[in-house]
Amino acid sequence: MKDNIKRSIVIAIFWVFLLYLIWLISQWSMIVKPEYSNRNIPMYVILILLCLYMIWLYGIYPIHIKFSRATALVIGLLFIVVSQVILANDGYSHIYIWDLFSVLWVLILILFPTNILTTEKVKKQKAKKNEVIIEV
């Protein structure tokens, strides 16, 4: 039961962010700062793929990957820096992608290393992979 709640939380958070990105695309909004205007569509693609990755790997089909927490940590740190440098934050146009992305990844950086959102199934898979069989 707790696993379903954890997975639902991850799916819900990233699904809402994905819907916000789709809404911004439908409005033809510029989510990057003006000096990075040529990187607008690639940033949409990267952010959408990242949301789908998190939904799939941590929500729909959670599996144990050797460095999954470290990968989430590195991706989180990278995208916090990217959001501060490249992404826009314009209250007049109702674009808060910089703030939302920073808050989202700060939460991810807090929750994933502490195993709060790691399911019991993944923990069992990890224990099974680390199991050593000694025959006498």
Side-chain angles (χ1 to χ4, degrees), residues 60-75:
I60 295 173
Y61 188 67
I63 58 171
H64 172 68
I65 299 174
K66 190 169 186 174
F67 295 108
S68 64
R69 290 188 307 164
T71 304
L73 178 76
V74 169
I75 290 172

Side-chain angles (χ1 to χ4, degrees), residues 22 30 33 35 39 56 66 94 110 117-119 122 131:
I22 292 170
M30 188 71 110
K33 293 179 181 176
E35 58 266 18
R39 294 183 179 108
W56 180 259
K66 190 169 186 174
H94 302 290
I110 292 170
L117 294 178
T118 305
T119 62
V122 172
E131 197 173 86

